[in-house]
Amino acid sequence: MNEFILQNTERRIQRVMEAIRANNMEAYYVKTAAEVRPFVESMIPEGATVSNGGSATLAETGVMDLLASGRYHYLDRSKVSGEELDALYRQVFSADWYLASSNAVTEAGELFNVDGNSNRVAAITFGPKNVLLVVGCNKIVRDLTEAYHRVKETAAPANTARLSCKTPCAATGVCVECHSPGRICCTTTIHQYQRLPGRIKVLLVGEPLGF
């Protein structure tokens, strides 16, 4: 990244971090994707019960491999299906740590997320003792309106293609507010403030990550 673009990005990230902290959430920053895994490893005690939401960001940064490394008691959604998966989604609410990304973070420190099954937004909202969201700088937006458009125009079409969903946006890249069974933008949450101080932690990364 050009050094002057990086300077502007870091200034913006610092403003967003201040806003996140004002909303009773913790905020952290690393410059590169390579720093994410060591940061997560330093945050989560060995032996902790951990789980995660679906996230290209966690896969790109090696966090998924870390969770499955044997260091933790990992509630691994990729190993089960059907009724077992449904039970695991509920078990996750008692986890020590839940990791995911956020579809967007506004300059006011708001977390904007859209989900299909709603297990991810539910766990972020309530349950796990600690929630850690890893967010690339590409997901910082001016306000909630821009967050909405980011999901509809970028995140949802890319994710439906990645997951081979049979939705119009997977084929065309354009959201039509469909009623397809495979629709992934079913539930929207906006976290404007966290009542439990520090429960939600946001790690902002100075490089683009995920969708």
Side-chain angles (χ1 to χ4, degrees), residues 79-129:
K79 302 299 185 184
V80 294
S81 59
E83 292 183 2
E84 286 184 281
L85 178 59
D86 189 63
L88 184 141
Y89 282 156
R90 287 160 174 75
Q91 188 180 359
V92 162
F93 283 96
S94 61
D96 299 313
W97 287 81
Y98 185 79
L99 290 85
S101 188
S102 186
N103 294 127
V105 178
T106 73
E107 292 184 349
E110 302 156 312
L111 310 178
F112 186 92
N113 284 288
V114 181
D115 207 357
N117 290 327
S118 305
N119 59 291
R120 178 174 64 95
V121 296
I124 294 171
T125 302
F126 178 81
K129 295 176 184 177

Side-chain angles (χ1 to χ4, degrees), residues 154-167 169-173 184 211:
T154 301
N159 273 305
T160 52
R162 175 176 68 92
L163 298 170
S164 300
C165 297
K166 295 181 179 179
T167 60
C169 68
T172 67
I184 65 170
F211 304 129

Side-chain angles (χ1 to χ4, degrees), residues 2-82:
N2 177 278
E3 63 175 305
F4 302 109
I5 296 296
L6 178 59
Q7 287 177 7
N8 285 336
T9 298
E10 289 184 333
R11 292 188 187 107
R12 190 184 195 194
I13 286 173
Q14 290 301 320
R15 294 195 299 271
V16 172
M17 289 174 67
E18 291 175 9
I20 290 170
R21 289 167 181 155
N23 294 340
N24 226 22
M25 296 178 275
E26 294 179 7
Y28 302 91
Y29 170 66
V30 295
K31 185 175 291 187
T32 67
E35 297 172 81
V36 172
R37 176 171 171 159
F39 176 91
V40 173
E41 194 166 359
S42 71
M43 286 285 286
I44 304 179
E46 189 169 353
T49 298
V50 301
S51 193
N52 64 278
S55 170
T57 295
L58 296 185
E60 289 174 21
T61 54
V63 173
M64 299 290 283
D65 293 335
L66 173 64
L67 297 182
S69 67
R71 179 182 174 91
Y72 313 107
H73 175 216
Y74 182 28
L75 304 177
D76 187 354
R77 49 183 271 156
S78 71
K79 302 299 185 184
V80 294
S81 59

Side-chain angles (χ1 to χ4, degrees), residues 121-138:
V121 296
I124 294 171
T125 302
F126 178 81
K129 295 176 184 177
N130 298 278
V131 173
L132 176 58
L133 304 177
V134 180
V135 184
C137 62
N138 53 313

